């Protein structure tokens, strides 16, 4: 038998190899229009960004390899132009010579893939506009970027390929604008998951225009102007300059050959095939991006252009073409997909909520959703990073789909759920999926198991949920009130406006503050404590609902999703993505302590909460010489920005910060203040080395209060100011002096009144009480535990850090006297002074805080 294959990449090459493995009898000829077969199209964006350095690794199989290993006649640079069904012949054109010839066949497989959809806008044929489908496209993009030293890019479309290209352009220090017609990126996931990607892209200084489309591209001498209008409007409202424009607005099946051959075609989704990948025309088969598939979840026709289906179909169709007795049908595509989007991994399987709503299904009636926020592995094991999973299921417990986002562990959970769907596992049975556990890999209850437990609670009515997007309307209606049951620390970092705050630890004791007529929307950080509070309230006769996914899910949706105009007034040549400044080879750090004339030191600040990593950075920097490089690791994602600000404020050179496996790795070079001439950068240049001078470099604080939380806050700010290179003086007066008392000091020379007064007041930092909710000392103990759990430094250690870093404390002499203290009763590091000493210090200060 003579078998022809059109298309030599995913589907075509898979089928060809399988055909040969099954039989040596048949003649197999594979035609490929491009220069290469079996290349890794999925790797193309990463070679553009330099992440995949070696171009050759993208060429998974060569023409010679296909010939020698499989005896397949591969004809590259050859386009199949026509299929003559009657005569069972094709017309092929050698694209190098221009000659055409005929080739007969017994059976033919079409795997021509999908072409890039180019939006029908004026100027889309600009020499600065590119698509990315194959090696040739990739080479063209790289050549254009290099030749023109491209620094400004517009990416049209925020699907998988658009996002991957944007990420890689940012890696190349290009100012990148992403324009997307929909109001979110990444169609496979729902808005609340996409919102996290939006915020992360904004953090990476990508300009994001959602709900916008390109209307025209106008070429200038060195740049093109990309005109952009709001979706649905014709008039452009935004103009962005670009030196390169990538058109990544989607793909559509290549169907021309099939149409000409009389194959039945779906107008949108491509060549129609049966479950054995047979077209309606005898002996013509089709697979991959070009075909209409059955959606595994609902049986509807769809086109899902992904590599897994193409490869799977390629294998199955070989069995069918050889008419093997045990040939298997293709069961449909679930759309399991994943990508790296900046710091996140985003994955999805099955149906998303948008598609259910489009189909007219109603939340609460036809389907339910739950969201869990967990860690990728045991939280106490280094390197654990947060993970969000959304599960969609029917009230009967059938799993409809799942989505996940996080730095690590998303792939595993999405794959487990995809397997569960294929296995017909019920949502509650997810509890019973026994998954491998050890702290570096997982928790004893995997997030997938937690989804099962959570779903059971929902289905049993043990918890009633409210969604992130329902809150506003319910509160506005006046029937519901928001109740934040997180700790004060957590609330400090942000809360839902209008919410009442009662820490879960106090809720029972303060329950009388709640109104039984109202329904409380209870929320915590991730949804778990909210459930505990919900149960408490309901059991005590109150009405409540729990915010699914907690504050963590709600917050990114409440922020601006776009950041139009962020590059206005900036020069693209100045744009340095924080993650892409030269990174000193980590191998040199620690072992080989010198690199050129530069010493490199590693600092591990993982597990420390803010401002711990900055404090440690400052301390370590003090011991380095100008020119030395400090590499710091922190598990706080916010450190990526903090370290840059710190370096800029303190006059050191920020080199780079990147996130590796969810851990921020940053490099800062110590500068000799005001002098950059006596050392050079690793590459020998001193470019960009400058010293930032501050005219008012002092911070003064008056600590009047003796409340533990207030003194604690004072020292956190004071240490932060020290870390920013400021001189800090704290002036302690009245009740604040209690924080400075020695714990075990006894003064027998005091008068009776002074002794009594002294006994009634706390002795030293360990004995201070909370300003609020002290609850006979319980609140204070609980606060200390929370601080410990969250790796927040204790007050004594913050005080020690303060002195170690050169901070100064002046005790108000007058207050010391009034309070009946003696000098030796207070800690030795303290200096004494009066108002004049304080005013002298404050005069040069940037600001003075009164606490
Ligand atoms: P293709 O692999 O596109 O192969 C079709 C081939 O047929 C083409 O090389 C074309 O030149 C040739 N051809 C077409 N017509 C003719 C003709 N008349 N004569 C001769 N030859 C012809 N999928 C994922 O699942 N994960 C990813 O991370 C991912 N990343 C991607 C990144 C990029 C940049 C791109 C472009 C695609 C990515 N995909 C990804 C999609 C995935 O590559 C496709 O789904 C898969 O390759 C489809 O296989 P196919 O055989 O149908 O088509």
């Amino acid at each position: 038998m003579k078998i022809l294959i059109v298309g030599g990449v995913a589907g075509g090459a898979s089928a060809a190899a399988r055909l040969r493995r099954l039989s040596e009898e048949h003649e197999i000829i594979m035609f490929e229009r491009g220069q290469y077969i079996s290349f890794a199209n999925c790797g193309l964006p990463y070679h553009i960004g330099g992440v995949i350095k070696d171009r050759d690794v993208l060429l998974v199989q060569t023409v010679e390899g296909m010939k020698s290993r499989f005896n397949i006649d591969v004809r590259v640079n050859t386009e199949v132009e026509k299929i003559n069904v009657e005569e069972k012949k094709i017309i092929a054109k050698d694209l190098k010579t221009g000659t055409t010839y005929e080739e007969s066949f017994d059976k033919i497989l079409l795997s021509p893939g999908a072409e890039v959809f180019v939006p029908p806008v004026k100027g889309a044929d600009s020499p600065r506009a590119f698509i990315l489908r194959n090696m040739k496209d990739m080479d063209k993009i790289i050549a254009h970027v290099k030749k023109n030293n491209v620094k400004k890019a517009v990416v049209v479309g925020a699907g998988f390929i658009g996002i991957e290209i944007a990420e890689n352009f940012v890696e190349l220090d290009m100012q990148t604008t992403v324009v997307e017609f929909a109001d979110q990126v990444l169609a496979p996931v729902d808005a609340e998951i996409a919102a996290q990607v939006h915020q992360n892209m904004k953090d990476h200084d990508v300009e994001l225009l959602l709900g916008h489309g390109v209307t025209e591209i106008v070429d200038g001498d060195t740049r093109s102007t990309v005109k952009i209008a709001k979706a649905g409007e014709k008039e452009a409202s935004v103009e962005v300059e670009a030196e390169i424009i990538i058109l990544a607005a989607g793909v559509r099946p290549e169907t021309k050959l099939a149409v000409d051959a009389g194959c039945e075609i779906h107008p949108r989704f491509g060549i129609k095939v049966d479950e054995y990948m047979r077209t309606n025309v005898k002996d013509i088969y089709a697979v991959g991006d070009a075909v209409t598939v059955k959606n595994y979840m609902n049986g509807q026709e769809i086109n899902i252009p992904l590599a897994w289906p193409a490869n799977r179909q390629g294998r199955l169709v070989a069995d069918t073409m050889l008419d093997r007795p045990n040939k298997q049908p293709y069961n449909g595509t679930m759309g399991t997909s994943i990508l790296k989007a900046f710091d996140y991994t985003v994955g999805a399987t099955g149906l998303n909520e948008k598609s259910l709503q489009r189909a007219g299904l109603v939340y609460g009636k036809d389907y339910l959703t739950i969201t869990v926020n967990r860690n990728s592995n045991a939280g106490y094991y280094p390197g654990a990073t947060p993970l969000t999973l959304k599960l969609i299921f029917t009230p009967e417990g059938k799993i409809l789909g799942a989505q996940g986002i996080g730095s690590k562990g998303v792939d595993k959970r999405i794959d487990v759920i995809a397997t569960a769907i294929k296995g017909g596992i019920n949502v509650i049975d997810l509890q019973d999926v026994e998954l491998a556990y050890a702290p570096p890999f997982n928790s004893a209850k995997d997030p997938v198991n937690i989804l099962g437990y959570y779903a059971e609670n929902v289905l049993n009515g043990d918890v009633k949920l409210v969604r992130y997007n329902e809150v506003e309307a319910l509160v506005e209606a006046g029937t519901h009130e928001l109740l934040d049951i997180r700790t004060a620390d957590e609330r400090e970092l942000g809360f839902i406006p209008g919410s009442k705050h009662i820490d879960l630890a106090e809720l029972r004791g303060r329950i009388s503050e709640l109104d039984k007529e109202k329904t409380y929307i209870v929320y915590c950080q991730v949804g778990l404590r909210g459930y505990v509070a919900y149960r408490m309230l309901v059991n005590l006769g109150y009405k409540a609902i729990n915010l699914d996914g907690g504050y963590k899910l709600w917050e990114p949706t409440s922020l601006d999703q776009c950041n139009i105009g962020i590059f206005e007034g900036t020069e693209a040549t100045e744009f340095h993505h924080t993650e892409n400044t030269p990174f000193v080879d980590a191998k040199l750090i620690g072992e080989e302590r010198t690199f050129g004339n530069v010493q490199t030191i590693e600092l591990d600040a993982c597990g420390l909460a803010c401002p711990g990593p900055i404090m440690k950075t400052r301390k370590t920097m003090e011991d380095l010489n100008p020119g030395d490089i400090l590499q710091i690791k922190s598990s706080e994602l916010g450190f990526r920005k903090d370290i840059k600000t710190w370096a800029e404020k303190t006059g050191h050179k920020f080199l780079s910060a990147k996130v590796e496996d969810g851990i921020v790795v940053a490099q800062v070079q110590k500068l000799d203040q005001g002098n950059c001439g006596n050392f050079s950068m690793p590459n020998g240049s001193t470019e960009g080395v400058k010293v930032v001078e501050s005219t008012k470099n002092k911070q003064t604080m008056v600590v009047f209060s003796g409340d533990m939380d207030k003194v604690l806050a004072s020292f956190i700010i004071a240490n932060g100011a020290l870390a920013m290179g400021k001189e800090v003086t704290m002036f302690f007066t009245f009740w604040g002096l209690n924080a400075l008392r020695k714990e075990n000091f006894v003064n027998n020379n005091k008068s009776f009144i002074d002794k009594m007064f002294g006994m009634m007041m706390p002795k030293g930092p360990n004995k201070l009480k909370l300003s609020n909710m002290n609850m006979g000392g319980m609140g204070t103990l609980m606060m200390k535990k929370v601080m410990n759990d969250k790796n927040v430094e204790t007050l004594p250690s913050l005080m020690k850090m303060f002195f170690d870093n050169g901070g100064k404390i002046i005790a108000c002499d007058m207050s010391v006297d009034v309070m009946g203290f003696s000098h030796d009763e207070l800690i030795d590091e303290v200096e004494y002074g009066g108002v004049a000493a304080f005013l002298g210090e404050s005069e040069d200060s940037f600001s003075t805080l009164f606490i």
Side-chain angles (χ1 to χ4, degrees):
M1 182 163 61
K2 186 170 174 184
I3 299 173
L4 304 188
I5 297 175
V6 182
V9 191
S14 292
R18 172 82 177 161
L19 283 166
R20 178 56 75 226
R21 286 196 298 269
L22 293 178
S23 167
E24 283 292 327
E25 267 176 46
H26 311 292
E27 184 184 356
I28 305 170
I29 308 175
M30 190 163 79
F31 296 91
E32 170 53 53
R33 187 167 53 196
Q35 191 185 343
Y36 304 100
I37 55 159
S38 256
F39 60 88
N41 15 24
C42 312
L44 303 179
Y46 299 98
H47 184 56
I48 293 173
V51 176
I52 297 174
K53 301 231 172 330
D54 184 357
R55 180 181 182 277
D56 287 349
V57 300
L58 298 172
L59 303 171
V60 181
Q61 182 58 281
T62 59
V63 174
E64 298 71 36
M66 216 54 177
K67 177 77 192 164
S68 60
R69 185 179 294 182
F70 296 111
N71 188 25
I72 289 166
D73 179 357
V74 180
R75 307 204 185 152
V76 288
N77 298 309
T78 306
E79 178 160 13
V80 176
E81 289 192 328
K82 200 162 177 49
I83 304 171
N84 185 333
V85 178
E86 305 301 315
E87 295 180 25
K88 284 207 153 179
K89 281 182 186 159
I90 59 127
I91 298 173
K93 182 177 186 180
D94 182 326
L95 297 174
K96 288 231 153 137
T97 61
T99 52
T100 55
Y101 58 93
E102 286 185 347
E103 199 70 63
S104 64
F105 67 86
D106 295 306
K107 292 187 177 182
I108 185 166
L109 170 64
L110 306 180
S111 185
E115 62 189 349
V116 176
F117 166 71
V118 175
V121 299
K122 212 171 145 195
D125 56 353
S126 159
R128 295 194 186 95
F130 296 82
I131 58 164
L132 179 63
R133 179 179 177 187
N134 52 35
M135 299 287 286
K136 196 171 164 191
D137 298 333
M138 177 191 75
D139 292 340
K140 280 197 219 162
I141 292 172
I142 293 173
H144 178 80
V145 167
K146 283 196 178 145
K147 183 169 167 233
N148 300 290
N149 187 23
V150 169
K151 294 292 289 175
K152 219 164 160 22
V154 168
V155 177
V156 182
F160 283 29
I161 296 175
I163 294 286
E164 287 174 353
I165 293 176
E167 181 186 325
N168 280 282
F169 276 177
V170 170
E171 284 281 328
L172 292 175
D173 268 355
M174 287 190 207
Q175 272 192 352
T176 305
T177 300
V178 174
V179 187
E180 167 57 54
F181 204 71
D183 54 8
Q184 65 160 80
V185 301
L186 300 175
V189 296
D190 289 317
E192 68 272 37
I193 304 292
Q196 298 191 35
V197 183
H198 302 161
Q199 303 312 328
N200 192 239
M201 289 174 75
K202 284 164 62 187
D203 280 352
H204 282 268
D205 301 320
V206 174
E207 185 183 34
L208 195 51
L209 280 87
L210 301 170
H212 281 78
V214 172
T215 55
E216 191 180 352
I217 299 168
V218 183
D219 290 332
D221 287 345
T222 54
R223 287 182 169 177
S224 303
T225 304
V226 182
K227 299 193 173 187
I228 301 163
K230 283 197 180 128
E233 291 181 8
K234 283 200 175 127
E235 284 302 308
S237 51
V238 183
E239 290 188 357
V240 180
E241 298 282 295
E243 291 153 0
I244 191 167
I245 301 132
I246 302 291
L247 303 172
V251 295
R252 48 182 181 204
E254 281 221 18
T255 54
K256 187 177 168 303
L257 268 183
V259 171
D260 289 351
C263 299
E264 206 184 329
I265 308 286
H266 186 286
R268 274 180 64 204
F269 302 140
I271 307 166
K272 287 198 175 197
V273 287
D274 67 7
E275 70 267 41
Y276 289 98
M277 313 314 294
R278 294 179 289 218
T279 71
N280 60 314
V281 178
K282 189 169 178 299
D283 294 329
I284 301 185
Y285 303 76
V287 294
D289 286 1
V291 303
T292 311
V293 293
K294 184 180 81 179
N295 187 324
Y296 181 83
M297 304 305 303
N298 57 18
Q300 288 173 2
E301 290 184 315
I302 195 160
N303 176 267
I304 302 184
L306 289 171
W308 184 90
N311 280 278
R312 174 78 182 135
Q313 294 160 10
R315 179 185 164 100
L316 295 179
V317 81
D319 291 25
T320 300
M321 290 173 91
L322 297 184
D323 203 20
R324 304 240 305 166
N326 51 354
K327 63 179 184 290
Q328 291 177 44
Y330 182 68
N331 293 319
T333 305
M334 246 158 59
T336 307
S337 57
I338 195 156
L339 91 158
K340 178 179 173 311
F342 295 82
D343 295 333
Y344 284 125
T345 306
V346 185
T349 187
L351 301 171
N352 59 33
E353 197 175 354
K354 285 175 300 187
S355 65
L356 296 177
Q357 287 171 348
R358 273 198 302 271
L361 302 187
V362 178
Y363 169 75
K365 179 170 152 281
D366 304 310
Y367 72 92
L368 300 162
T369 80
I370 51 172
T371 316
V372 300
N373 295 297
R374 291 274 151 164
N375 276 328
S376 56
N377 54 286
Y380 54 82
Y381 187 84
T385 58
L387 166 76
T388 301
L389 286 176
K390 170 177 178 176
L391 190 74
I392 308 170
F393 52 98
T394 66
E396 294 73 41
K398 182 181 175 200
I399 302 172
L400 297 177
Q403 299 158 36
I405 183 166
S407 295
K408 285 194 269 180
V410 173
D411 49 350
K412 173 157 86 174
R413 276 64 190 215
I414 290 298
D415 286 347
V416 168
I417 296 169
T419 311
I421 293 175
K422 276 269 161 99
I425 287 177
N426 183 286
V427 69
I428 293 176
D429 293 336
L430 289 180
Q431 300 173 7
D432 203 29
V433 178
E434 187 179 329
L435 298 169
Y437 160 67
F441 308 102
N442 206 344
S443 297
K445 277 186 204 159
D446 186 271
V448 170
N449 301 138
I450 297 289
L451 283 171
Y453 291 120
Y454 191 178
E456 184 179 39
N457 287 340
V458 172
L459 290 174
N460 286 347
D462 290 338
V463 63
K464 285 203 168 44
L465 296 179
V466 60
R467 310 282 305 280
Y468 73 95
N469 53 359
E470 295 173 323
V471 171
E472 200 177 336
L474 290 175
V475 173
E476 262 175 23
T479 48
H480 292 65
E481 186 174 343
L482 279 155
L483 180 61
D484 180 353
I485 53 97
R486 299 170 305 157
T487 63
D489 284 356
E490 288 172 305
R491 192 170 167 86
E492 278 282 289
L493 298 172
F495 55 89
I496 306 181
S499 53
K500 183 182 176 70
H501 179 229
I502 305 180
D503 188 326
L504 175 60
E506 295 177 14
L507 189 55
R508 223 174 236 107
R510 292 174 58 189
I511 200 86
S512 59
E513 292 177 31
L514 302 185
D515 179 351
K516 283 201 168 160
E517 295 306 308
K518 283 186 179 161
T519 302
Y520 288 94
I521 301 174
V522 182
Y523 75 93
C524 65
Q525 196 66 13
V526 300
L528 185 60
R529 279 170 296 163
Y531 168 58
V532 175
Y534 166 89
R535 292 299 315 160
M536 186 196 296
L537 291 178
V538 170
N539 288 339
L540 291 171
Y542 292 84
K543 288 184 277 187
I545 40 179
N546 185 25
L547 178 61
D548 181 48
Y551 184 77
K552 189 167 187 284
L553 191 72
W554 176 87
E555 199 227 0
T557 67
S558 72
L559 304 172
D560 283 341
Q561 305 298 305
C562 299
N563 53 358
I564 302 175
I566 55 162
F567 299 137
E568 266 168 33
T570 63
E571 272 304 316
T573 45
E574 297 290 308
F575 182 78
H576 287 294
H577 177 245
T578 46
E579 300 207 354
N580 200 43
T581 36
F583 221 73
V584 176
D585 189 346
K587 278 187 292 200
L588 293 164
I589 292 177
E591 294 168 19
E592 184 74 46
R593 302 278 285 197
T594 54
F595 182 64
N597 56 353
V598 169
Q599 185 184 209
T600 53
I601 305 292
E602 195 173 16
L603 170 65
D604 188 352
C606 288
L608 288 180
C610 175
I614 287 286
M615 297 302 302
K616 264 200 147 183
T617 300
R618 174 176 171 73
K619 187 96 194 73
T620 314
M621 277 295 238
E622 274 174 8
D623 298 332
L624 303 188
N625 295 317
D628 288 348
I629 290 169
L630 182 62
Q631 175 165 301
I632 316 116
K633 286 187 179 173
S634 168
S635 46
E636 290 265 306
L637 268 188
F639 185 71
R640 195 174 67 82
K641 286 222 146 179
D642 288 353
I643 186 65
K644 186 165 186 265
T645 313
W646 179 83
E648 282 165 3
K649 289 266 179 339
T650 54
H652 294 296
K653 184 172 172 62
F654 170 76
L655 292 179
S656 65
K658 61 181 177 182
V659 181
E660 281 179 352
D661 280 345
I663 302 291
V664 180
V665 187
Q667 291 187 332
V668 178
Q669 184 166 39
K670 179 163 178 163
L671 296 191
D672 187 3
Q673 296 286 316
N675 175 9
C676 59
N678 61 352
F679 66 89
S680 61
M681 293 292 295
N683 61 9
S685 93
T686 54
E687 194 200 349
V689 177
K690 64 175 182 195
V691 174
V692 178
E693 285 175 11
S694 168
T695 45
K696 290 199 165 186
N697 209 28
K698 280 192 177 178
Q699 176 74 59
T700 44
M701 302 169 84
V702 179
V703 184
F704 174 83
S705 167
D707 294 330
M708 177 213 172
D709 40 351
K710 293 180 185 165
V711 179
L712 188 77
S714 312
F715 275 99
I716 289 175
I717 296 168
N719 278 315
L722 283 173
M724 303 297 272
K726 293 191 181 296
E727 277 179 41
V728 183
T729 303
M730 299 175 85
F731 190 75
F732 276 74
T733 180
F734 284 95
W735 311 110
L737 292 170
N738 287 317
L740 305 179
R741 292 177 73 190
K742 292 177 187 159
E743 206 165 308
N744 300 317
F745 186 84
V746 182
N747 184 350
N748 291 321
N749 297 328
K750 284 188 176 182
S751 68
F752 176 73
I753 296 271
D754 283 348
K755 244 190 219 165
M756 285 300 291
F757 206 42
M759 277 166 59
M760 285 155 59
M761 287 184 297
K763 259 187 169 183
N766 282 321
K767 295 286 190 292
L768 302 185
K769 293 174 183 157
L770 277 181
S771 59
N772 277 307
M773 308 183 296
N774 188 48
M775 300 185 296
M778 274 301 289
T780 307
L781 285 176
M782 272 156 45
M783 170 65 93
K784 286 181 178 171
K785 178 173 182 321
V786 170
M787 283 166 52
N788 185 41
D789 290 349
K790 293 180 185 285
N791 287 326
V792 177
E793 298 284 352
T794 60
L795 184 50
S797 69
L798 282 169
M799 289 170 77
K800 180 170 180 311
M801 215 185 268
F802 177 75
F803 289 120
D804 288 349
N805 284 302
K808 185 158 98 179
I809 288 185
I810 300 177
C812 170
D813 237 347
M814 183 272 289
S815 305
V816 171
D817 189 39
V818 170
M819 306 291 277
F821 298 149
S822 58
H823 282 194
D824 46 4
E825 196 169 344
L826 302 189
I827 53 175
D828 299 333
E829 293 88 343
V830 167
E831 297 172 26
Y832 294 86
V835 178
F838 161 68
L839 290 176
E841 294 290 336
S842 69
E843 209 164 77
D844 292 339
S845 294
F846 176 72
S847 70
T848 299
L849 305 175
F850 187 93
I851 296 163

